[in-house]
Amino acid sequence: MNSTASVLSQLEQLKKLTTVVADTGDFERIQAFQPQDATTNPSLILKAAQQSNYQDLVKSVKAAHPGMNPTDLVDYILVAFGLEILKIVPGRVSTEVDARLSFDTKGTVAKAKHLIALYESHGIDRNRILIKLAGTWEGIAAAKELEAQGIHCNMTLLFSLVQAAACGAANAKLISPFVGRITDWNKAKLGANWSDTANGGANDPGVISVKRIFHYYKHFGIPTEIMGASFRNTSQILELAGVDLLTISPELLAELKSSNASVEKKLNPANAQAALQAEGIKPLKLDESNFRLQLNNDAMATEKLAEGIRNFCVDTEKLEALLAK
């Protein structure tokens, strides 16, 4: 064997170009892939909490807080899963604030501080925690306040350049643009006119969106980390090789691990200026009214942001119902 590609799996090659993160609450599956970080969300924790192998963890949290209402208990469950994940990954875990606070800056800040306090009460350094907040105007305002106090944020449900630019202006530590959901929307919109060949690979709408954000950040010197998220296939992942981080489901991590095909770096900061000029992109106006107007005028981002918040709210309520039993 004379080439590195033939020896290393795609996952190992990818790790040389990009920080790989596991996107799951199922911490037993994380170990197989040795990611740097891990991310969770209400849907992933709900899924994990329903599995038989995590019943003891759920029961122990409930037993430690008898009589606590389910809404408050959710925080302790999120942190319990986060603590277990931190025993496995060397880096950070992302824990999400209740999606029902997506339009409440004050409530979001208070909830984030509570989650950090719970982690710190277990001796965890706050630098190992990323608090996940929705990419709403109120969520971004909360991130600005939290970052100023040394609480780092992962801005999620991010579907547009204006959201990304505003997160950068707020000094958010990290953003998670959702690749697959952008593609889903475009695929549904085009219907019979969608072609996996013409609209896949480098032409995938979700991939294009993350590349645009990458070029904007690198050209304007924005230090916020970019973590591609919500992938539908390994092609989307490989097209973003070279981005700061990629958070990947166990299923797609397994696919990457089982392939030895060559992986090449696709994103390069040196190309940022030319890419933005080609698209005619200039610095965005980011006061509240301009932010809301630009987001409103992006039908895909508006619809997917609203849908994402709704779904996370539903799954949080399902988790509460599970804990109330």
Side-chain angles (χ1 to χ4, degrees):
M1 293 190 181
N2 53 13
S3 77
T4 314
S6 60
V7 180
L8 297 177
S9 70
Q10 286 192 312
L11 181 57
E12 292 306 318
Q13 293 177 68
L14 189 63
K15 284 179 178 179
K16 291 178 180 295
L17 301 171
T18 292
T19 298
V20 171
V21 180
D23 194 15
T24 179
D26 184 349
F27 50 80
E28 289 179 8
R29 295 185 73 185
I30 293 172
Q31 286 170 303
F33 306 106
Q34 299 180 305
Q36 175 66 21
D37 298 347
T39 56
T40 66
N41 64 41
S43 307
L44 293 173
I45 296 295
L46 173 66
K47 189 176 171 184
Q50 290 172 306
Q51 292 172 214
S52 58
N53 44 332
Y54 295 125
Q55 291 310 302
D56 287 346
L57 179 67
V58 173
K59 284 176 186 170
S60 69
V61 173
K62 287 181 76 172
H65 305 283
M68 182 176 277
N69 72 66
T71 302
D72 291 335
L73 206 51
V74 166
D75 294 340
Y76 289 85
I77 290 287
L78 296 178
V79 171
F81 273 90
L83 290 169
E84 293 300 321
I85 289 168
L86 287 172
K87 292 175 186 174
I88 300 164
V89 300
R92 306 170 293 191
V93 70
S94 291
T95 296
E96 191 137 356
V97 160
D98 190 330
R100 293 169 295 193
L101 297 170
S102 295
F103 303 100
D104 178 352
T105 299
K106 194 175 172 185
T108 295
V109 169
K111 181 68 82 176
K113 286 181 175 178
H114 177 56
L115 290 169
I116 286 291
L118 290 181
Y119 275 112
E120 290 184 332
S121 72
H122 289 276
I124 301 295
D125 188 295
R126 62 175 56 187
N127 287 324
R128 294 194 71 197
I129 311 301
L130 290 172
I131 298 294
K132 285 180 86 171
L133 310 176
T136 56
W137 178 260
E138 293 80 5
I140 295 167
K144 185 173 185 177
E145 199 174 318
L146 291 164
E147 289 285 356
Q149 296 175 42
I151 296 173
H152 296 310
C153 301
N154 169 354
M155 306 308 294
T156 187
L157 295 174
L158 200 133
F159 303 97
S160 65
L161 182 59
V162 69
Q163 285 174 291
C167 291
N171 297 315
K173 183 72 173 173
L174 181 146
I175 60 167
S176 296
F178 278 29
V179 178
R181 296 193 198 187
I182 292 173
T183 305
D184 293 345
W185 188 90
N186 283 278
K187 199 170 183 176
K189 199 79 175 166
L190 284 174
N193 293 320
W194 174 272
S195 155
D196 284 336
T197 309
N199 305 110
N203 297 321
D204 184 295
V207 168
I208 290 169
S209 178
V210 177
K211 284 184 176 176
R212 184 179 294 130
I213 291 167
F214 178 87
H215 293 138
Y216 190 93
Y217 272 22
K218 300 311 174 190
H219 179 61
F220 292 114
I222 297 166
T224 299
E225 298 167 30
I226 304 166
M227 180 168 71
S230 159
F231 294 105
R232 299 293 176 257
N233 53 60
T234 56
S235 168
Q236 292 176 329
I237 294 165
L238 297 171
E239 284 295 338
L240 294 175
V243 74
D244 303 327
L245 307 98
L246 293 165
T247 184
I248 306 169
S249 70
E251 293 75 19
L252 293 176
L253 285 170
E255 267 189 57
L256 292 166
K257 195 176 180 182
S258 66
S259 169
N260 293 94
S262 183
V263 174
E264 60 177 289
K265 186 175 182 177
K266 295 294 180 95
L267 289 181
N268 190 333
N271 302 331
Q273 185 174 355
L276 291 186
Q277 282 177 344
E279 288 198 73
I281 293 171
K282 294 181 169 64
L284 301 183
K285 288 183 179 175
L286 298 170
D287 57 88
E288 184 177 354
S289 59
N290 273 301
F291 173 89
R292 292 194 187 280
L293 182 63
Q294 289 172 78
L295 184 59
N296 180 75
N297 289 345
D298 184 335
M300 177 275 296
T302 297
E303 288 172 30
K304 296 312 282 186
L305 174 61
E307 177 190 71
I309 292 170
R310 276 197 303 273
N311 289 342
F312 282 161
C313 287
V314 166
D315 284 342
T316 301
E317 285 164 12
K318 284 181 183 174
L319 187 56
E320 288 174 349
L322 187 74
L323 295 174
K325 285 179 184 172

